[in-house]
């Protein structure tokens, strides 16, 4: 089994309800177990800034799927929730974004998959929820909490737990 970190994001529709359903789909479709789930955070948009704020979260699962099969499955789940990667604006609004952040300590550099995620250490909107569930996790030789300490968290707010 591999220990995997996945970032969730979205800014269209009832994103928090989408996250709940998507996490169930992730665990079911990957034969995985949910090890940890962060709180949800409202965050400023990245890249294309003229759009609604995002909600972001991270999960940790274990799965026996290999990284490529896992990525394929995550893309299927995104599509199930209305995402069309071929038609969308780069860094634009979306119902659901699932990013494979880290897969054990695997390093992959291929056009279709780069692990760990290539922009992880630039993105406070990923590192804030990730630091909640895995502050001491080493990714590319850096501790998640230490990487977050070097970034601004302005505009990132933890949302109250649901129910």
């Amino acid at each position: 089994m591999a220990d995997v970190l996945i970032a969730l994001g979205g800014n269209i529709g009832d994103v928090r309800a989408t996250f709940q359903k998507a996490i169930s789909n992730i665990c079911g479709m990957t034969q995985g177990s949910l090890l940890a789930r962060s709180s949800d955070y409202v965050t400023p948009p990245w890249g294309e800034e003229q759009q609604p704020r995002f909600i972001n979260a991270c999960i940790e699962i274990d799965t026996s799927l290999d990284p490529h099969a896992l990525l394929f499955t995550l893309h299927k789940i995104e599509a199930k929730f209305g995402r069309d990667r071929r038609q969308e604006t780069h860094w634009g609004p979306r119902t659901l974004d699932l990013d494979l952040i880290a897969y054990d300590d695997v390093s992959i550099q291929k056009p279709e998959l780069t692990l760990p995620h290539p922009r992880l250490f630039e993105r406070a909107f990923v590192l804030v929820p990730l630091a909640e569930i895995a502050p001491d996790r080493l990714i590319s030789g850096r501790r998640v909490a230490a990487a977050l300490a070097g970034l601004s968290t302005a505009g990132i707010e933890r949302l109250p737990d649901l129910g």
Side-chain angles (χ1 to χ4, degrees):
M1 298 295 268
D3 187 285
V4 177
L5 298 171
I6 299 168
L8 298 89
N11 68 344
I12 297 174
D14 185 346
V15 176
R16 298 180 86 188
T18 298
F19 283 3
Q20 293 293 68
K21 294 174 193 160
I23 291 167
S24 293
N25 275 261
I26 291 166
C27 292
M29 292 172 70
T30 65
Q31 300 90 44
S33 298
L34 183 64
L35 303 176
R37 186 206 193 285
S38 75
S39 301
D40 294 335
Y41 292 83
V42 65
T43 64
W46 170 274
E48 176 56 52
E49 295 180 8
Q50 301 305 310
Q51 62 179 318
R53 290 166 48 122
F54 277 77
I55 296 177
N56 292 95
C58 286
I59 60 172
E60 180 180 17
I61 66 168
D62 64 10
T63 182
S64 58
L65 289 184
D66 69 71
H68 287 89
L70 178 58
L71 182 65
F72 176 79
T73 302
L74 294 178
H75 287 176
K76 279 180 60 175
I77 294 167
E78 287 177 342
K80 182 176 180 177
F81 287 93
R83 182 167 183 191
D84 183 350
R85 286 177 168 265
R86 291 163 297 159
Q87 299 294 322
E88 71 188 16
T89 302
H90 191 56
W91 290 328
R94 56 203 53 180
T95 54
L96 181 64
D97 184 27
L98 299 173
D99 283 338
L100 185 49
I101 300 300
Y103 183 101
D104 279 340
D105 295 322
V106 171
S107 179
I108 297 174
Q109 301 283 322
K110 294 191 174 174
E112 70 280 6
L113 177 61
T114 301
L115 283 173
H117 192 286
R119 288 173 297 285
L120 168 64
F121 297 120
E122 303 165 15
R123 296 180 167 178
F125 67 85
V126 174
L127 288 171
V128 167
L130 197 54
E132 181 185 328
I133 62 171
D136 295 323
R137 174 84 173 250
L138 281 175
I139 301 175
S140 296
R142 295 179 71 183
R143 269 195 204 327
V144 168
L148 174 60
L151 295 178
S152 169
T153 59
I156 298 176
E157 302 166 26
R158 184 180 179 272
L159 293 170
D161 294 339
L162 291 172

